[in-house]
Amino acid sequence: DVDILARAEEEWMKFFSRPDAEKKTYAGKGGRGGPTDSLMLWGNGYSVYRAVRHQFHVVLGDADAQQWPSEEARRLALELAERMKRHCTGVLSKLAPEVERRRSETEAEDGDPSVLDIFWYPNADEENSVSGGNMSDHVDPGLLTIEAPSCVPGLDCFDGRDWVAVEQPEYATRGQLIMFCGEDLEISSGKVVRATRHRVSRPKAGSDG
């Protein structure tokens, strides 16, 4: 839904545009949460890495463990998270049904360990960038990662031979979603499904997204 995505981006940019000292008051307290205290909440809420990457991290099974910037930011973020989660569980039930069954049972008992991360890359501080980019190449630790293409393209995925700029229009456009596999799915599937190496490249200065 392009409309809700645009509204979410607008609302969250209001937060990321606030003074740094104010944003830091939205850092979470960490610890554990969920119905059985099994959900790890370290890093929840706001954080910033070397002025390059600003992040708001939410563990969906204890989504109010940290303070939200506004009720509207909360509503839009959680609505998008729920929609994206439905896509992920649908794909997982077909791709690795036994993994999805175990995931669902764990969620019912301990709460949802899925995370929502909202990133903002100002693209303005070359000195603090990571090897010329915004995030170095890595694989995510979970089962599946899903995201909407950013208003400023930067996500690259490695296809086994080359890096592919998957947020370019020939691969994904606004209103579509990008999904890739994480390390847990690679392990759980016995490496039948491989985790996707990806990175966030750096567009020209001034193109924040």
Side-chain angles (χ1 to χ4, degrees):
D1 190 319
V2 177
D3 179 60
I4 187 174
L5 177 62
R7 285 185 283 127
E9 287 177 341
E10 180 181 2
E11 186 67 25
W12 278 92
M13 277 309 303
K14 293 178 185 177
F15 170 68
F16 287 124
S17 298
R18 296 180 189 180
D20 288 348
E22 181 181 349
K23 291 198 292 281
K24 289 177 180 177
T25 65
Y26 289 87
K29 296 180 180 179
R32 292 177 176 269
T36 61
D37 278 339
S38 61
L39 300 180
M40 299 298 296
L41 303 178
W42 298 111
N44 68 323
Y46 173 77
S47 62
V48 58
Y49 177 72
R50 292 171 59 180
V52 173
R53 180 175 72 249
H54 297 250
Q55 178 178 1
F56 199 91
H57 178 78
V58 178
V59 179
L60 295 179
D62 202 342
D64 293 319
Q66 73 293 309
Q67 181 184 2
W68 289 88
S70 69
E71 183 55 38
E72 183 67 358
R74 178 188 185 277
R75 185 187 70 80
L76 291 168
L78 293 183
E79 182 174 344
L80 281 171
E82 180 58 32
R83 294 186 185 195
M84 290 183 175
K85 181 183 173 181
R86 286 199 298 268
H87 284 292
C88 285
T89 55
V91 168
L92 197 57
S93 65
K94 294 179 173 62
L95 192 64
E98 180 60 21
V99 174
E100 166 55 19
R101 183 189 65 78
R102 293 197 303 267
R103 185 212 63 80
S104 181
E105 290 176 351
T106 299
E107 177 181 331
E109 182 175 341
D110 297 328
D112 187 2
S114 303
V115 300
L116 168 69
D117 286 300
I118 302 165
F119 293 105
W120 175 52
Y121 300 96
N123 297 316
D125 191 347
E126 186 69 35
E127 181 179 348
N128 286 324
S129 64
V130 181
S131 300
N134 283 325
M135 186 182 292
S136 57
D137 73 275
H138 64 286
V139 296
D140 285 349
L143 294 168
L144 290 171
T145 294
I146 186 170
E147 68 156 62
S150 173
C151 55
V152 179
L155 177 64
D156 301 330
C157 291
F158 191 69
D159 68 1
R161 295 177 299 178
D162 300 302
W163 287 100
V164 180
V166 296
E167 290 182 320
Q168 295 299 328
E170 60 264 38
Y171 297 105
T173 59
R174 301 286 280 176
Q176 296 180 323
L177 295 170
I178 299 168
M179 181 183 294
F180 48 89
C181 300
E183 189 173 28
D184 285 354
L185 184 54
E186 177 174 317
I187 294 169
S188 299
S189 68
K191 297 189 176 181
V192 173
V193 181
R194 303 305 294 262
T196 306
R197 283 178 59 198
H198 58 286
R199 67 188 184 188
V200 181
S201 60
R202 186 181 182 84
K204 63 182 180 180
S207 301
D208 59 340

